[in-house]
Amino acid sequence: MFEEEVVERRLAFKPDPELGNLCMGMINDVRIDIREVPLLDDKGVESTWEYAGCKFPVLVIEFKQCKTDANPKDRYYTFTAKPVTTLNKKGEPVEEKTVINIIQQVYGQLRHIANQFKGLKGYPVNAGKCPGLDYAAPAKVRCEQYLTFFEYFKHLLVGDDEKNPIYKNVKLFMKLVADYNTHKFLAFPSFVNRGFVERVIPGQSPSIEFEAGETIHLAKDDAPKNREAAAGAPAPAPGATVVSSDIQNILDRYSK
């Protein structure tokens, strides 16, 4: 009646000391998942999350680490991009400059990843400008906008032939650092800074490197709460909001 099923835990990326604690990997999959959080939970209590009841898109970019003699096991890292929330857990509006900063972070990460494939066969040089986002629109409208936004970046990574994507077999140097909030897993930094991913070119060393305050060392479960740990993502954005021209163009499409 029952069959035994072996479930193996997927191993996370492991920094390579031979690469200065960078990793070498390749994109394994790029997809857009459509998810939904019920408006009411099992007890009939209405969710306060602004996207509850909406079908919202999630861009998923899965990386697989290149194997070495010292690291022969399958290892994966999954990067996800989701619609930015404009309300906090209390249902209160998040400050406008904070919302814009987060959108800028997401755009910067995706653009940085996509730029590594420029010049390769099949790269959509005529993809046009990035679609606009209106962070003041109703949640359902924003979900539609984010779907178009994520489809744009998926196209830059995959190209027109999904069976033979641009990213296939393209090796990348990757910088993964301790997550800023928990320090319990490795992830891409939130800010691009001097880069966190770079296409491998034979004979050339990687130019990306760790910034001050970034670390690969993770906090243990029993570590004191006040334990000093470097950020894997930057601290919350400072008071001044500096909006890049690319982001301003995305926002301006709905402000006129």
Side-chain angles (χ1 to χ4, degrees), residues 6-234:
V6 178
V7 179
E8 295 185 4
R9 181 175 65 89
R10 282 161 57 103
L11 297 176
F13 266 46
K14 184 177 181 180
D16 187 347
E18 296 293 325
L19 297 175
N21 286 328
L22 297 176
C23 300
M24 185 183 293
M26 296 181 288
I27 293 180
N28 191 54
D29 184 33
V30 179
R31 66 182 187 274
I32 296 175
D33 292 342
I34 304 299
R35 304 177 186 177
E36 186 173 4
V37 173
L39 188 60
L40 302 177
D41 64 16
D42 295 338
K43 297 181 180 179
V45 178
E46 185 173 349
S47 173
T48 58
W49 190 48
E50 63 189 288
Y51 293 113
C54 300
K55 293 183 178 179
F56 63 94
V58 179
L59 177 61
V60 180
I61 306 175
E62 180 186 82
F63 298 85
K64 186 174 182 179
Q65 189 164 13
C66 297
K67 296 180 181 179
T68 64
D69 292 339
N71 185 17
K73 297 182 179 180
D74 288 336
R75 294 179 176 274
Y76 299 90
Y77 168 65
T78 301
F79 172 85
T80 59
K82 304 175 183 179
V84 175
T85 55
T86 62
L87 302 177
N88 61 25
K89 293 181 179 180
K90 296 181 180 179
E92 302 167 338
V94 176
E95 198 170 1
E96 181 182 50
K97 63 183 180 182
T98 300
V99 174
I100 294 175
N101 275 331
I102 297 173
I103 292 175
Q104 184 157 300
Q105 289 175 23
V106 174
Y107 172 84
Q109 289 177 312
L110 294 176
R111 179 61 74 182
H112 177 55
I113 295 171
N115 281 347
Q116 308 314 308
F117 299 87
K118 276 188 173 182
L120 296 181
K121 182 180 179 180
Y123 184 85
V125 293
N126 297 320
K129 294 183 178 180
C130 184
L133 294 172
D134 179 9
Y135 57 84
K140 288 186 177 181
V141 174
R142 272 180 281 147
C143 287
E144 295 172 357
Q145 293 174 359
Y146 273 104
L147 177 59
T148 304
F149 181 77
F150 293 152
E151 285 175 339
Y152 172 83
F153 283 104
K154 178 186 175 185
H155 184 221
L156 293 183
L157 297 172
V158 176
D160 296 322
D161 185 1
E162 296 217 6
K163 293 184 178 179
N164 189 31
I166 301 167
Y167 64 75
K168 186 177 181 180
N169 297 325
V170 177
K171 293 182 179 180
L172 303 166
F173 291 116
M174 300 167 57
K175 179 177 70 172
L176 300 176
V177 296
D179 170 66
Y180 176 76
N181 293 314
T182 67
H183 316 299
K184 292 185 178 180
F185 61 89
L186 298 177
F188 283 147
S190 294
F191 285 118
V192 174
N193 292 321
R194 287 180 289 179
F196 57 76
V197 63
E198 180 180 335
R199 191 166 85 226
V200 174
I201 298 178
Q204 291 189 19
S205 300
S207 62
I208 54 176
E209 56 188 37
F210 290 87
E211 306 284 343
E214 293 178 339
T215 181
I216 62 170
H217 300 294
L218 303 179
K220 297 180 180 178
D221 290 337
D222 57 353
K225 291 185 179 180
N226 62 350
R227 169 179 175 168
E228 180 179 355

